């Protein structure tokens, strides 16, 4: 784990996460509890997410820059046991649960051994990620451990190893952060934290990417389009560049492919409910007049169906609606049983009674 001039080995990261996990357990955190992280993108945030999982709990990432009313609503909706924060909250906010500010030196005195009080399996929850709420009330998506593994281990679209250096530059409350944090850590690579202020400045961002020798990066379409020219000098150092979150603009894509192509450029598609990416498409070249770029084919342990209004597969060439199945499908929405029943349907195309799409 690297941030500016700080670095942690895997052993050091594990020790710090263990100590914080013991502290969380001492604070009453139990398996299946929700713990909110109200932390800026930093090494502390990564340590906190690890510690929460080690305590058997579920992390709920919030954007510290979001409205206080949104923060309060989310903390209440998820029935958080505890909030982890960089600084003490405004007393006027009166959060409904205790807030633990993570600068407590007493944590250094806690045991560094692995917590042994809980045992988890792949279907247990790892995190709850809230949607933006742009189309109504925000929904807390229940993401299990298996969904993270399916995204970053033998995924079929990005083969990471111990030599890779992955940028953690996404908002922690956005599910791109799932890939950015767990892809390097679960493949023995290096996670490089890039803070909010750095990402806001194109020149500083590019300098940081070059200095940190980043070779795997994820960018939203909007950020890529805005920074395309500034990023040009360092794109060649990228082994994998994934762009997603919206429709790719062929004009910007064609420009970088002709001038400063990364070694591998991917269009990544998928909703939060199927854990960051469901399909990817490798963009090699664009022919003249290209107006749209495909979203590609399913990543490993993922199934894509194109179905008609009756839930039957459409023939080749016909228009259908996308249904997504496989290990990345979330368990549903928190506190929204009706909406879960409407959106998360039984998958009739596999011989597994509890399979959803």
């Amino acid at each position: 784990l690297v941030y500016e001039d700080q670095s942690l080995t895997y052993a050091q990261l594990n020790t710090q996460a263990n100590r914080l996990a013991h502290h969380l357990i001492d604070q009453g955190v139990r398996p299946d509890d929700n713990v909110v992280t109200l932390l800026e993108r930093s090494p502390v945030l990564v340590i906190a997410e690890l510690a929460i999982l080690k305590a058997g709990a579920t992390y709920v990432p919030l954007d510290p820059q979001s409205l206080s009313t949104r923060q309060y609503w989310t903390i209440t909706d998820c029935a958080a046991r505890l909030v982890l924060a960089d600084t003490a909250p405004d007393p006027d906010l009166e959060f409904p649960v205790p807030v633990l500010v993570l600068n407590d030196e007493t944590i250094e005195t806690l045991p560094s051994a692995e917590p042994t009080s809980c045992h988890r399996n792949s279907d247990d929850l790892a995190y709850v990620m809230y949607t933006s709420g742009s189309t109504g009330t925000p929904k807390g998506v229940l993401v299990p451990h298996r969904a993270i593994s399916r995204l970053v281990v033998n995924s079929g679209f990005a083969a990471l190893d111990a030599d890779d250096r992955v940028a953690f530059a996404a908002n922690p409350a956005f599910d791109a952060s799932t890939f950015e944090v767990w892809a390097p850590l679960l493949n023995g690579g290096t996670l490089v934290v890039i803070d909010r202020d750095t990402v806001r400045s194109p020149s500083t961002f590019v300098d940081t990417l070059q200095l940190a020798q980043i070779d795997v990066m994820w960018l939203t379409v909007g950020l890529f389009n805005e920074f395309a020219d500034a990023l040009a000098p360092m794109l060649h150092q990228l082994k994998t560049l994934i762009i997603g979150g919206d429709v790719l603009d062929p004009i910007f894509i064609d420009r970088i492919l002709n001038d400063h192509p990364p070694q591998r450029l991917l269009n990544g598609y998928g909703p939060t409910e199927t854990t960051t990416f469901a399909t990817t498409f490798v963009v090699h070249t664009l022919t003249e007049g290209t107006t749209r770029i495909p979203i590609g084919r399913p990543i490993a342990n993922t199934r894509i169906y194109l179905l008609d209004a009756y839930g039957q597969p459409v023939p080749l060439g016909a228009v259908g609606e996308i249904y997504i199945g496989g290990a990345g499908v979330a368990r549903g929405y928190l506190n929204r049983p009706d909406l879960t029943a409407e959106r998360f349907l039984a998958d009739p195309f596999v011989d597994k009674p509890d399979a959803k799409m």
Side-chain angles (χ1 to χ4, degrees):
L1 175 63
V2 172
Y3 173 62
E4 296 182 340
D5 59 352
Q6 305 171 40
S7 65
L8 292 173
T9 65
Y10 273 85
Q12 292 168 331
L13 175 60
N14 195 52
T15 294
Q16 293 206 29
N18 285 344
R19 284 177 171 154
L20 181 54
H22 283 290
H23 192 50
L24 297 179
I25 293 168
D26 290 344
Q27 297 294 309
V29 172
R30 296 294 179 262
D32 297 320
D33 282 346
N34 290 329
V35 177
V36 167
T37 58
L38 195 58
L39 300 162
E40 292 288 353
R41 196 163 53 249
S42 65
V44 171
L45 172 60
V46 178
I47 292 166
E49 291 183 351
L50 271 168
I52 292 166
L53 297 182
K54 284 173 175 285
T58 304
Y59 68 86
V60 185
L62 286 187
D63 182 358
Q65 303 299 316
S66 60
L67 294 174
S68 57
T69 51
R70 168 70 183 257
Q71 295 174 11
Y72 186 96
W73 181 89
T74 305
I75 291 167
T76 303
D77 185 66
C78 75
R81 170 72 67 180
L82 193 65
V83 174
L84 306 183
D86 290 311
T87 58
D90 186 333
D92 294 337
L93 294 180
E94 296 182 353
F95 281 165
V97 299
V99 177
L100 177 63
V101 178
L102 292 184
N103 59 8
D104 189 353
E105 295 180 359
T106 60
I107 294 176
E108 293 298 321
T109 66
L110 291 168
S112 60
E114 296 286 342
T116 58
S117 58
C118 70
H119 301 279
R120 315 301 285 158
N121 66 53
S122 63
D123 282 319
D124 289 324
L125 290 183
Y127 66 82
V128 178
M129 187 77 68
Y130 277 82
T131 61
S132 65
S134 58
T135 57
T137 303
K139 302 181 289 292
V141 181
L142 305 169
V143 179
H145 286 260
R146 60 166 160 76
I148 298 175
S149 299
R150 156 267 187 195
L151 176 68
V152 303
V153 179
N154 298 323
S155 64
F157 72 92
L160 275 73
D161 57 37
D163 293 327
D164 286 315
R165 299 173 67 85
V166 182
F168 177 20
N171 187 323
F174 180 42
D175 73 342
S177 64
T178 306
F179 175 82
E180 293 177 332
V181 170
W182 300 112
L185 293 186
L186 293 179
N187 288 284
T190 301
L191 188 164
V192 181
V193 178
I194 302 178
D195 62 33
R196 183 188 299 269
D197 289 340
T198 298
V199 175
R200 285 174 171 171
S201 168
S203 60
T204 306
F205 185 36
V206 171
D207 288 345
T208 301
L209 295 173
Q210 290 179 311
L211 185 64
Q213 298 179 304
I214 298 299
D215 64 358
V216 177
M217 187 165 66
W218 191 105
L219 288 175
T220 63
V221 171
L223 194 62
F224 171 76
N225 291 350
E226 181 181 351
F227 286 6
D229 291 334
L231 288 168
M234 60 77 54
L235 289 177
H236 68 279
Q237 82 182 41
L238 294 177
K239 185 175 83 172
T240 301
L241 172 61
I242 307 170
I243 307 174
D246 205 338
V247 178
L248 270 61
D249 187 330
I251 294 175
F252 287 96
I253 299 300
D254 189 55
R255 184 190 307 169
I256 69 158
L257 287 176
N258 288 326
D259 299 338
H260 304 279
Q263 295 175 42
R264 199 158 182 262
L265 176 63
L266 297 176
N267 181 12
Y269 163 79
T272 303
E273 289 85 344
T274 63
T275 317
T276 311
F277 300 128
T279 70
T280 57
F281 178 77
V282 181
V283 188
H284 295 293
T285 58
L286 296 184
T287 58
E288 186 176 351
T290 296
T291 58
R292 66 181 72 182
I293 296 173
I295 61 172
R297 295 182 176 276
I299 69 172
N301 298 303
T302 301
R303 296 183 297 276
I304 300 290
Y305 312 117
L306 289 180
L307 307 181
D308 62 20
Y310 302 98
Q312 296 300 311
V314 298
L316 288 174
V319 174
E321 189 170 17
I322 295 177
Y323 287 73
I324 303 171
V329 176
R331 282 175 33 180
Y333 298 117
L334 180 65
N335 303 326
R336 307 288 292 276
D338 293 345
L339 192 58
T340 296
E342 175 187 332
R343 301 282 178 84
F344 291 82
L345 308 178
D347 186 342
F349 304 106
V350 295
D351 187 19
K352 189 177 178 183
D354 59 346
K356 298 290 184 182
M357 62 181 184

